[in-house]
Amino acid sequence: MEGYAGRIGRVNLSNRSCSIEPLNYEDARLFYGGRGLGAKMLFDELQPGVDPLSPGNKIILMTGPLTGTPVTAANRYVIITKSPQTGLFLDSYAGGWFGPELKFAGFDALVIEGVSPHPVYLLVEDNRLSIRPAGHLWGKRAYETETAIKKELGDEDTRVAVIGPAGENLANLAIVQNDYFHQAGRGGAGAVFGSKRLKGIAVKGTGGIKINNPARLVAYLAGPVENKFSGTGGGLLGSVADRMKYGTPFTLNITNAIGILPTRNFFYGQYDRAEEINAEAFRRKVVVADKSCYACSMACTKFSRARTGPYKGAEVGGPEYETNALFGANIDNPSLEAIVYLNRLCDDLGLDTVGAGNVVGFTMECYARGLITSNDLGFTLNFGDVAAVAELLEMMAYRKGLGDILAQGVRTAARYFGQNSETFAMHIKGLEYPAYRPGPVSPGFGLAYAIAERGACHRRAWPALAEQQLPPFSTAGRAQLVKMLYDQRIPWHCGVNCDIGVQVPGLGFAEAAEMYSAVTGREVTPADMQLLADRVATICRCFNLREGATRKDDTLAPRSFMPEEIGPGKGKSLSKDMLDTMLDEYYALRGWDREGVPTGETLVKLSLDAVAEKMAQLGFKPARGINQGIKGEEYRGAQINGR
């Protein structure tokens, strides 16, 4: 199949060995690449129960068959690993140019194992891998590190991904940052880098990617895909024009209107000063340039600068919606200039702005309630105090004082503080809520959060607008909607494409199938895309099950079940019974039992027989038939007949 580089680079940092393996094309046919193929590799290679920060964990850095081609927004890479924050499956994505460069260097994936005795960085050149010392870089912040590696290699065009102090200090909120302004932010991938003493990865590639039918691909991009971009309808995330002008911060206008904008640690769903940080204010006050990742027609990335006030001169790529919301409304800060400054600080320290903004909001509420004091922190921490937030972020990155606890995430902090603080610690499976507040006006977002394998995640499904077409304050249609939205993204996550670049213009299974076929030469259909989506969702579920996750983990933070104080849902609440109803329906649609365990019939239908056998070895009921020698149709019949 074309589209693939055909090679996987494997690096063992313990014995300093580097090798190159052929891509397993049989697995690539079933799982495509990116999230799908990475999940398969992690399931196969990782020992169950391994400590995420031990040498036994692996970093699997994936591209996809579309990465680096002219296909819309095929510019991402994804880090697959076991999360130190949740102890479960993690896929963390970043845009820019790093992913395509890895393909141009001749690799579909990198697998990094073991732990180095000394700080190192990995150099990937055309079909070559080498490990370089990084003792002189250890301790540097992210921006300085990337610049230093480029200078050391004598090539400004080298693509570099690095960690900052937070990653070195094994903070669960640690990110991996590439191309200065792009971050693989969620779940603590930066801490896994730090645990291996891997400061970064530099990539230089001069090769190309063979496309099976370039004329077919170009015609499709110039025809149906272009029509999607120029059409007025757009997808389920708003119009193309709005996203091009405002980027992801346009979302703040939507979430505030609906009543799901996190405000003062998710207590409210609307912010009375939203007009000071909404899309129009963002464009007017801080945006100075539009930017684009590789091969993107959307160009939603914004370069911003604080032009006035105490943070004048601070610059950053972004901020994205999540950052505007969580360092804005969620901490009661109406200053976009301050948000630019805090975003820049987080990036340089190597902290996830989503997780950090959530943790800061939680800590402010703890302070307001008297659960912690200025004696504990060394300073006051009132809502809206930006200077105090900056001090807190430094403490988190360097694990100083209470920052040592906060750096481990809001779940750990709530356990440490006690005094009922877990009732307002906003996380699922240990991963902090992003900037959407599930509740009675958006039960669908509650379900989307609850079923996401990596914890509270807005990138599995985004029902904010589509859900408004369904009966309000009800579970009706939510399970079907969330599964449809979730599934639509999987082919693109296997691609590996940007959500905004494909979801906003409304590219779905048909477009994914056509472009995958043109690139690889393997003819697939929208039905194949649906099968891929079900297969990938199920293998990720199996990974979490074997790590000990259960239905009980598919829930929401207690605050999400409280009655609304203001907004469209005032006086109403999302109940646990409503969530249970949606979970039952969602599991059934997936072919999973009431506990969320894929049935034997489902595993066979999805060609996951080998996964079923491994699950059976761990004692999971659905695969017992296979261990008893029942295969294929016979096994399917056994399940249906209840044997």
Side-chain angles (χ1 to χ4, degrees), residues 19 63 98 143 175 203 211 245 253 259 278 282 287 296 304 425 436 481 490 493 541 573 606 636:
S19 60
T63 65
F98 183 90
Y143 288 108
I175 62 172
V203 182
I211 295 173
K245 183 175 182 179
N253 298 29
N278 67 10
F282 171 69
V287 173
C296 182
S304 302
Y436 304 89
L481 175 65
I490 288 184
H493 288 180
R541 181 74 180 182
S573 61
L606 298 176
R636 186 178 300 126

Side-chain angles (χ1 to χ4, degrees), residues 4-5 60 119 133 156 172 185 224 238 240 250 256 308 405 408-409 468 482 497 503 516 521 530 548 573 622:
Y4 296 93
I60 302 176
E156 284 292 316
N172 283 345
V240 170
F250 180 74
N256 192 59
T308 61
I405 301 299
Q408 298 176 60
Q468 303 310 307
V482 167
N497 302 65
Q503 297 297 329
Y516 178 85
Q530 180 61 67
S573 61

